[in-house]
């Protein structure tokens, strides 16, 4: 009774989100709130290096579909719908064109395949199984975590930096493209970097791991190490990790002992983004990503 916090950090996080996100999202907040509090839904990122056979057929028999392959089709449907709406007045059509934009579809990598169950279906995938070489057949991850990788649009021979790489899902997805000339995977946490090593050993053959360099530097100082080096940089920064904050007591950033750390997050994020930009070649591209809905950690950092 004397050591337990009076208000659990999960409840504190949910109260904070109720106050702030209800103003930001308005009528959408109740459904988003329900999504945050629901059981996590995973996708199965296929491992292109695995020799396992019939994995695709097995997943499709379970009624799972590759959401990456579906994206161009859904984009076409969206565009047809937008075109139909524009058949109204010329004035309203021009306004809609200026206020909306098509979903991301041009940068979808055909080599990345991630299977998910239909909307509303939170069926669990079976645990990944090793092939004859010991490589696991797929990696279970939040499917939305693939979106920054797809947006990065890696091209053949690109030098890529994953500045905050651990625990390694996005690094693995970058390797699945099969086109990275070199991949630098960095994370300041030594314990999380060990997890990254484990994922690489479990999913990637030794000859492919040779194009990956794993480091544990403070990402804010990266521009002092390799400035202007990379074609593509992924800056997936530490954040309030909204789902974790409302679901898990352990390592919760809304714990009262971590208040100062939480308040300083936007500054840390800004410093990491600046380091990522400075590490990029002229005309290179940077993708900034968080696991938070907070404008303070997203739009305001970009601005």
């Amino acid at each position: 009774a004397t050591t337990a916090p009076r208000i659990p950090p999960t409840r504190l996080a949910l109260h904070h989100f109720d106050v702030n996100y209800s103003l930001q999202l308005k009528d959408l907040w109740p459904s988003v709130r329900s999504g945050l509090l629901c059981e996590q839904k995973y996708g199965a990122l296929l491992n292109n290096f695995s020799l396992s056979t019939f994995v695709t057929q097995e997943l499709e028999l379970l009624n799972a579909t590759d959401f990456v392959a579906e994206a161009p089709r859904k984009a076409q449907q969206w565009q047809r719908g937008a075109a139909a709406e524009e058949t109204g007045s010329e004035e309203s059509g021009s306004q809609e064109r200026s206020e909306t934009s098509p979903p991301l579809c041009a940068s979808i990598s055909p080599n990345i395949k991630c299977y998910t169950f239909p909307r509303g279906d939170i069926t669990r995938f079976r645990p990944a199984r090793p092939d004859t070489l010991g490589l696991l057949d797929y990696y279970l991850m939040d499917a939305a975590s693939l979106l920054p990788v797809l947006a990065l649009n890696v091209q053949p021979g690109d030098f890529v930096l994953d500045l905050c790489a651990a625990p390694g899902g996005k690094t693995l997805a970058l390797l699945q493209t099969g086109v990275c000339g070199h991949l630098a995977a960095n994370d300041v946490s030594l314990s999380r970097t060990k997890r990254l090593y484990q994922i690489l050993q479990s999913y990637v053959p030794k000859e492919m791991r040779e194009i990956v360099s794993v480091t544990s530097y403070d990402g804010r100082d990266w521009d002092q190490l390799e400035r202007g080096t990379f074609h593509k940089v992924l800056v997936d920064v530490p954040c309030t990790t909204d789902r974790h904050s409302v679901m898990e007591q352990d390592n919760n950033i809304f714990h009262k002992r971590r208040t100062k750390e939480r308040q300083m997050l936007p500054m840390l994020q800004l410093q990491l983004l600046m380091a990522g930009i400075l590490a990029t070649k002229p005309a290179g591209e940077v993708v900034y990503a968080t696991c938070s809905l907070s404008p303070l950690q997203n739009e305001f950092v970009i601005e």
Side-chain angles (χ1 to χ4, degrees), residues 25-243:
L25 298 173
K26 298 182 173 60
D27 293 342
L28 293 174
W29 171 235
S31 61
V32 174
R33 187 183 196 271
S34 297
L36 285 177
L37 294 171
C38 281
E39 187 174 355
Q40 189 164 6
K41 180 175 177 175
Y42 288 98
L45 173 67
L46 291 197
N47 184 13
N48 294 327
F49 305 117
S50 172
L51 301 178
S52 297
T53 55
F54 307 117
V55 180
T56 299
Q57 294 92 322
E58 177 189 347
L59 294 174
E60 290 176 352
L61 284 172
L62 294 172
N63 202 29
T65 56
D66 177 11
F67 89 89
V68 181
E70 284 187 340
R73 178 180 59 80
K74 290 184 177 179
Q76 289 175 352
Q77 292 175 347
W78 183 94
Q79 289 167 338
R80 283 197 296 268
E85 290 178 7
E86 287 179 0
T87 57
S89 68
E90 182 178 338
E91 180 179 347
S92 65
S94 62
Q95 182 179 359
E96 286 169 6
R97 280 192 296 270
S98 65
E99 291 180 353
T100 60
S101 58
L104 177 72
C105 61
S107 60
I108 298 295
S109 169
N111 296 329
I112 294 180
K113 296 178 175 59
C114 185
Y115 279 78
T116 58
F117 289 108
R119 184 174 183 175
D121 184 347
I122 56 171
T123 302
R124 292 286 178 174
F125 290 98
R126 62 159 173 79
R129 291 197 289 250
D131 64 7
T132 54
L133 299 178
L135 299 178
L136 299 177
D137 52 7
Y138 55 62
Y139 179 77
L140 296 179
M141 65 189 301
D142 187 329
S145 296
L146 274 184
L147 298 179
V149 174
L150 296 171
L152 204 58
N153 192 22
V154 178
Q155 298 299 306
D158 275 353
F159 277 42
V160 183
L161 168 62
D162 189 354
L163 191 61
C164 307
K170 294 182 181 69
T171 301
L172 179 61
L174 285 165
L175 288 171
Q176 297 302 315
T177 65
V179 297
C180 295
H182 174 71
L183 176 58
N186 177 74
D187 199 277
V188 68
S189 168
L190 286 171
S191 60
R192 285 164 60 87
T193 303
K194 288 180 182 177
R195 170 67 177 149
L196 173 57
Y197 273 116
Q198 290 170 354
I199 287 178
L200 291 175
Q201 290 170 358
S202 299
Y203 288 88
V204 183
K206 186 175 181 181
E207 60 272 18
M208 277 300 299
R209 294 202 297 268
E210 292 176 357
I211 70 165
V212 185
S213 59
V214 180
T215 54
S216 293
Y217 296 116
D218 187 329
R220 293 173 290 184
D221 302 328
W222 191 271
D223 62 295
Q224 300 173 24
L225 301 168
E226 292 182 283
R227 193 182 183 102
T229 304
F230 298 92
H231 301 95
K232 302 291 173 66
V233 175
L234 175 58
V235 186
D236 182 33
V237 294
C239 65
T240 48
T241 319
D242 293 354
R243 176 188 288 277

